[in-house]
């Protein structure tokens, strides 16, 4: 019952709110002078109600405001007297015709796709489905609509006044790190600090914890320049996972493209509401910026949390199912699922492109992030005729003033027809290079495993192409060679797959904890357990393989950070983190996924090695390049890149095709500074004598060997000792090892 003490917006809502907005409509709810403007896109709806709730969110407090429209597909309203903190949702009226893609059910409260904040937990009962299901959530997706109200089962939107946010503006202190100096560190907000005893307990696993001084110190000491965060858009877990007692830990199941994921905030921020959560995110970004670290967000615009047609009825499906989702144009209407998640947003629609670009601008302008990694980016570039690099979404991201100069990284594939598109995105996009991943794993792991059984492996030309920046993939364009090797985001591991340590300890995936009978995850990993599956104890008869495993990990890491291109490291790999053989830990919010900071001595050695290798990359211009190599002489008289065989002879065409060759040398030179670096690779199972490349320059100084357990372990690398060696000197390379020499 209403009385004079009711909030002004409640009294106006009941008496009939002033429905015309005070300015041209912007989607979402915007605080304006005298109240709040509301706008929602629902072109096929016959009516939409704006549903307002008190601060408790109780369904009993719900007040429905009929919205004007649609005009150009948009319904609008104005709520006088309302402001920041207002809780709300929508109810959409219209035909229930699932066979034709129309699924209107006003019994279901819908989340605003433009909500800046969300409060409340998603339920998983029958009321969250638009069609009728039983207690086991079984039903006909094209059957009758479900009449149960869902207002207490879905999160509510909350109005956030971004113009009134306190604290420093993280968009004003961006580091603007050049691509050539960029080293990406992929991390999960929770997993990075959940077990970090040096972080106060109340901050562990939170945005604030990630920006803790000791975490920042670790990142700076390691030598990374950008933190790429797994999704922090508001997300939910799939009903099937919840039924197994698991959660979608990675967060690739978006419910809101503008709202930060509140569970990653501290308890104090969550208690303060969405504005406080957003403030914590902004403070995290600003703090990392102050330390010189960029923040890149992994963003999932290709699909939503609503799943397939039989999934939950939460937002886009209820507002305009036929507009937001890609269909096959048949009757009955079926989703064109090119993401493998049950649905794909339809980027043939200008409205979907607008949603994506509006979200990107928001995170750039308000949160101040430094770039985005686009999950399944090919979906974002699918038009009427399939993928095209000049799709409006990609052109919009490339030309939008708010995104100018930010780092845009594509995961260049999806699971639809013609979905593998590595190398086909244009400026200013960089791309994940899966060919780099596969060639490095093959050379150091899969090929030696085959050789141990007398089987042939790959030729070295594939690895050499990746070491040199993958011009075959990223050199195309008009004009050619414009993007340069920095467009290749090189990686050996990512959140999806084995960790670096597990690549050297497991031949097979071990995903039993995921509850899918080990059917999930990739079965082909190009890994090698070195003869024994899983961990080996120090007193085990198999303990003798442990040093070789550690050497393999060092080989993988060094090849990653010393190659031309932009290296990406997964959090914890610098300390040889294990996931116990799980190569699909998307549902493991547990120690399986969390970084363990309690290091054994050999893990501390690995951390020192990783730090040393990244310092070599930072300190030697020859290990960083903005242009593809040509082999032509530089001002110093030396070629920018040269390849030598074990005898110190320059490669010719035939040598590249020698299947028996597993040992070679790479010499890279930087400009007139005459900074020259020699990297020697021995991928054979036996020791190999190598005649060091003769560049007629200064003698070589060994600065790192993968045989060394610790970079301070400057053991002899030649009969002459670890001092300077002239070109033409003969050295012996241990099996499966690599070594770095410099001249400066």
């Amino acid at each position: 019952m209403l009385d004079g003490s009711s909030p002004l917006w409640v009294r106006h809502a009941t008496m009939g709110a002033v429905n015309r907005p005070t300015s041209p409509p912007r989607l979402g709810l915007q605080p304006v002078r005298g109240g709040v403007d509301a706008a929602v896109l629902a072109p096929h709806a016959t009516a939409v109600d704006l549903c307002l709730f008190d601060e408790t969110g109780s369904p009993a407090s719900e007040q429905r405001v009929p919205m004007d429209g649609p005009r150009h597909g948009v319904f609008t309203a104005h709520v006088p007297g309302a402001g920041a903190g207002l809780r709300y949702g929508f109810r959409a009226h219209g035909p229930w015709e699932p066979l034709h893609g129309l699924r209107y059910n006003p019994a279901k409260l819908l989340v605003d796709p433009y909500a800046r904040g969300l409060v409340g937990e998603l339920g998983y009962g029958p009321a969250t489905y638009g069609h009728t299901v039983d207690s086991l959530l079984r039903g006909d997706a094209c059957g009758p609509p479900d009449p149960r109200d869902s207002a207490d089962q879905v999160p509510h939107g909350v109005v956030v006044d971004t113009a009134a946010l306190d604290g420093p503006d993280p968009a004003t202190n961006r580091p603007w790190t050049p691509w050539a100096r960029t080293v990406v560190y992929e991390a999960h907000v929770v997993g990075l600090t959940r077990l970090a005893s040096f972080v106060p307990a109340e901050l562990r696993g939170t945005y604030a914890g990630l920006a803790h001084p000791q975490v920042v110190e670790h990142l700076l000491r390691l030598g990374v320049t950008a933190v790429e965060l797994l999704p922090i858009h508001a997300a939910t877990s799939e009903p099937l996972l919840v039924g197994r007692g698991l959660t979608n830990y990675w967060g690739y199941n978006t419910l809101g493209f503008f709202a930060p994921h509140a569970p990653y905030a501290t308890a104090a921020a969550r208690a303060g509401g969405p504005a406080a959560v957003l403030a914590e995110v902004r403070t995290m970004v600003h703090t990392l910026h102050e330390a010189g670290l960029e923040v890149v967000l992994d963003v999932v615009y290709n699909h939503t949390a609503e799943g397939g047609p039989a999934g939950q009825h939460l937002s886009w499906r209820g507002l305009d199912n036929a507009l937001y989702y890609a269909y096959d144009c048949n009757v009955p209407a079926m989703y064109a699922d090119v993401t493998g998640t049950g649905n794909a947003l339809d980027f043939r629609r200008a409205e979907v492109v607008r949603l994506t670009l509006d979200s990107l601008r928001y995170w750039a302008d308000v949160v101040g992030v430094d770039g985005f990694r686009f999950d399944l980016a090919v979906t974002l570039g699918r038009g009427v005729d399939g993928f095209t690099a000049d799709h409006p979404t990609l052109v919009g991201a490339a030309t939008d003033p708010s995104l100018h100069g930010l780092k845009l990284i594509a995961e260049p594939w999806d699971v639809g027809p013609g979905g593998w598109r590595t190398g086909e995105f244009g400026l200013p996009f960089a791309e994940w290079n899966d060919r780099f991943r596969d060639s490095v794993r093959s050379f150091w792991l899969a090929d030696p495993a085959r050789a141990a059984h007398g089987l042939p492996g790959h030729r070295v030309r594939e690895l050499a192409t990746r070491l040199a920046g993958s011009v075959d993939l990223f050199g195309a364009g008009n004009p050619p060679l414009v993007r340069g090797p920095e467009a290749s985001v090189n990686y050996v591991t990512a959140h999806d797959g084995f960790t670096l340590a597990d690549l050297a300890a497991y031949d097979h995936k071990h995903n039993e904890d995921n509850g899918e009978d080990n059917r999930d995850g990739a079965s082909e990993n190009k890994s090698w357990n070195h003869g024994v599956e899983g961990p080996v104890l120090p007193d085990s008869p198999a303990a003798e393989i442990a040093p070789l495993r550690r050497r393999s990990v060092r080989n993988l890491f060094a090849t990653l950070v010393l190659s031309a291109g932009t290296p990406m490291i997964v959090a914890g790999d610098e300390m040889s983190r294990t996931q116990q053989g799980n190569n699909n830990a998307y549902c493991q919010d547990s120690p399986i996924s969390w970084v363990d900071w309690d290091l054994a001595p050999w893990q501390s050695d690995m951390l020192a090695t990783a730090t040393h290798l990244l310092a070599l990359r930072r300190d030697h211009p020859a290990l960083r390049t903005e242009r593809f190599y040509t082999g032509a002489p530089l001002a110093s008289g030396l070629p920018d890149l040269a390849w030598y065989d074990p005898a110190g002879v320059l490669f010719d065409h035939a040598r590249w095709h020698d299947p028996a060759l597993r040992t070679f040398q790479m010499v890279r030179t930087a400009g007139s500074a005459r900074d020259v670096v020699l990297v020697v690779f021995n991928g054979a199972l036996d020791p190999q004598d190598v005649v060091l490349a003769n560049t007629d320059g200064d003698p070589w100084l060994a600065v790192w060997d993968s045989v060394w357990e610790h970079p301070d372990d400057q053991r002899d690398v030649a009969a002459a000792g670890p001092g300077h060696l002239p070109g033409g000197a003969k050295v012996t390379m241990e099996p499966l090892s690599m070594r770095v020499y410099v001249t400066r």
Side-chain angles (χ1 to χ4, degrees):
M1 179 174 294
L2 300 174
D3 55 36
S5 63
S6 300
L8 181 60
W9 64 263
V10 173
R11 299 202 300 274
H12 277 282
T14 305
M15 294 184 294
V18 179
N19 281 330
R20 190 166 301 281
T22 59
S23 61
R26 292 179 294 161
L27 294 177
L29 266 66
Q30 317 289 339
V32 295
R33 183 184 298 274
V36 168
D37 282 350
V40 64
L41 179 70
H44 291 99
T46 57
V48 175
D49 295 329
L50 172 63
C51 305
L52 308 175
F53 299 85
D54 67 16
E55 64 276 3
T56 69
S58 169
S61 70
E62 181 180 351
Q63 302 290 331
R64 301 186 185 183
V65 179
M67 303 182 75
D68 279 348
R71 178 171 174 76
H72 299 157
V74 176
F75 288 82
T76 60
H78 174 74
V79 186
L86 177 66
R87 293 177 65 143
Y88 70 98
F90 297 111
R91 296 184 187 272
H93 304 259
W96 176 264
E97 297 178 4
L99 294 179
H100 298 279
L102 300 176
R103 308 181 70 91
Y104 288 102
N105 186 342
K108 309 304 171 182
L109 187 74
L110 303 174
V111 174
D112 178 10
Y114 277 74
R116 267 48 172 179
L118 294 176
V119 293
E121 299 293 329
L122 175 64
Y124 292 89
T128 62
Y129 291 78
H131 60 286
T132 301
V133 298
D134 61 20
S135 60
L136 298 179
L137 308 181
R138 298 173 304 191
D140 180 2
C142 293
D146 181 83
R148 288 166 285 199
D149 195 288
S150 67
D152 62 347
Q153 295 288 305
V154 297
H156 297 169
V158 176
V159 175
V160 176
D161 186 356
T162 57
L165 290 172
D166 294 329
D169 181 358
T172 61
N173 67 337
R174 290 189 172 110
W176 297 111
T177 306
W179 270 110
R181 291 186 173 272
T182 296
V183 178
V184 179
Y185 187 83
E186 187 193 51
H188 190 286
V189 170
V190 173
L192 185 60
T193 64
R194 182 66 178 79
L195 298 177
S197 59
F198 52 84
V199 174
E202 67 274 14
L203 302 184
R204 294 174 197 162
T206 70
Y207 300 116
L210 193 146
H212 185 270
Q214 285 186 254
V215 176
V216 173
E217 180 186 359
H218 170 81
L219 298 174
L220 294 176
R221 185 170 61 247
L222 176 60
V224 300
T225 68
V227 181
E228 181 179 301
L229 296 177
L230 267 66
I232 65 170
H233 287 171
T236 68
S237 294
E238 299 88 337
L240 284 176
L241 283 180
V242 174
R244 292 190 219 129
L246 299 170
T247 61
N248 189 318
Y249 169 71
W250 286 348
Y252 291 87
N253 206 44
T254 309
L255 184 59
F257 293 118
F258 295 81
H261 193 56
Y264 295 169
T266 58
R270 295 196 304 273
V277 171
L278 178 58
E280 184 173 310
V281 176
R282 283 164 44 92
T283 299
M284 172 196 71
V285 174
H286 188 273
T287 301
L288 293 176
H289 284 176
E290 287 293 286
L293 294 167
E294 294 185 309
V295 178
V296 176
L297 299 187
D298 195 335
V299 287
V300 188
Y301 295 110
N302 57 81
H303 74 280
T304 77
E306 292 186 304
Q312 292 175 288
H313 193 97
L314 307 175
S315 179
W316 305 271
R317 177 169 290 147
L319 289 169
D320 207 308
N321 185 59
L323 179 144
Y324 280 112
Y325 293 119
Y327 273 88
D328 60 8
C329 300
N330 294 323
V331 177
M334 300 296 294
Y335 283 169
D337 178 16
V338 296
T339 67
T341 65
N343 70 63
L345 286 172
D346 190 351
F347 284 87
R348 295 170 298 184
R349 306 282 193 174
E351 297 86 351
V352 174
V353 174
R354 177 186 178 186
L355 171 69
T356 301
L357 295 176
D358 283 349
S359 172
L360 292 171
R361 279 189 288 268
Y362 177 78
W363 287 91
D365 293 340
V366 175
V367 186
V369 301
D370 305 280
F372 303 91
R373 178 266 187 189
F374 297 90
D375 181 66
L376 300 183
V378 168
T379 300
L380 280 62
R382 285 190 179 273
V384 175
D385 298 320
F387 173 81
T388 174
D390 58 2
H391 187 281
T393 310
L394 306 180
V395 173
T399 58
D400 191 286
S402 292
L403 308 181
H404 178 67
L406 302 190
K407 291 182 166 65
L408 305 180
I409 304 170
E411 183 184 36
W413 51 79
D414 65 13
V415 301
W420 188 81
R421 298 285 179 162
T422 303
E424 297 186 28
F425 287 73
L427 278 173
F429 284 88
E431 302 174 41
W432 274 25
N433 188 347
D434 54 316
R435 291 278 294 276
F436 180 95
R437 173 200 64 198
D438 292 347
S439 65
V440 174
R441 290 187 184 189
S442 293
F443 183 82
W444 290 119
L445 298 173
D447 287 354
R450 289 174 57 84
H453 294 87
L455 299 173
H458 295 79
R459 293 171 173 82
V460 298
R461 58 181 181 174
E462 171 69 13
L463 178 64
T465 303
R466 305 304 147 222
L467 292 168
S470 298
V471 66
D472 60 328
L473 297 174
F474 303 102
N478 186 18
L481 308 181
V482 167
R483 284 203 287 173
E486 59 199 22
S488 174
V489 176
N490 298 332
Y491 68 105
V492 178
T493 59
H495 62 276
D496 185 4
F498 280 143
T499 65
L500 208 61
D502 286 354
L503 281 173
Y506 294 91
D507 278 358
H508 309 287
K509 62 185 181 182
H510 294 269
N511 299 348
E512 292 81 5
D513 288 334
N514 295 356
E516 299 181 43
D517 297 323
N518 207 34
R519 295 187 303 270
D520 62 307
S523 296
E524 173 53 56
N525 297 282
K526 302 184 186 302
S527 60
W528 181 30
N529 65 17
H530 295 73
V532 176
E533 187 77 354
V536 295
L537 299 176
D539 56 354
S540 165
E544 63 183 13
I545 69 172
L548 185 55
R549 282 183 174 181
R550 295 196 293 270
R551 186 188 304 178
S552 291
V553 171
R554 292 191 292 270
N555 287 333
L556 294 168
F557 192 94
T559 306
L560 170 64
V561 302
L562 301 180
S563 296
T566 303
M568 185 188 78
I569 302 161
V570 176
D573 272 355
E574 74 273 23
M575 303 176 285
S576 288
R577 180 179 74 89
T578 179
Q579 288 184 168
Q580 303 165 31
N582 192 318
N583 76 347
N584 190 35
Y586 77 104
C587 56
Q588 295 298 326
D589 189 2
S590 71
I592 289 176
S593 297
W594 303 336
V595 175
D596 186 354
W597 295 84
D598 186 11
L599 305 183
W602 62 270
Q603 290 177 298
S604 296
D605 289 343
M606 179 60 200
L607 176 57
T609 295
T611 302
H612 179 71
L613 288 166
L614 284 168
L616 287 176
R617 177 185 177 86
R618 180 191 65 232
D619 295 341
H620 289 276
L623 293 173
R624 296 177 276 104
T625 180
E626 297 178 355
R627 297 178 178 85
F628 287 113
Y629 297 105
T630 66
L634 301 172
S636 63
L638 297 175
D640 55 6
L641 175 67
W643 304 96
Y644 297 82
D645 69 10
V649 177
L650 281 166
F651 267 70
D652 59 19
H653 180 75
R655 204 71 169 110
W656 285 117
H657 295 272
D658 184 351
L661 184 67
R662 295 285 299 169
T663 306
F664 65 99
Q665 307 178 66
M666 175 181 69
V667 177
R668 289 162 62 181
T669 304
S672 59
R674 200 176 173 83
D675 180 46
V676 187
V677 176
L678 164 64
V679 186
V680 186
F681 300 84
N682 180 23
L685 295 176
D686 301 307
Q688 299 290 319
D689 289 335
V690 173
V691 176
L692 295 181
N694 189 350
T695 61
D696 294 326
D698 297 329
W700 298 115
L701 173 66
V703 292
W704 183 75
D705 192 317
S706 67
V707 173
W708 302 345
E709 293 280 357
H710 190 281
D712 292 340
D713 188 8
Q714 297 280 351
R715 64 185 62 179
D716 291 349
V717 295
H724 288 82
L725 296 174
K730 181 181 289 186
V731 299
T732 300
M733 295 288 295
E734 291 294 318
L736 300 178
S737 69
M738 60 185 293
R739 190 178 301 157
V740 182
Y741 294 90
V742 301
T743 60
R744 191 172 63 181

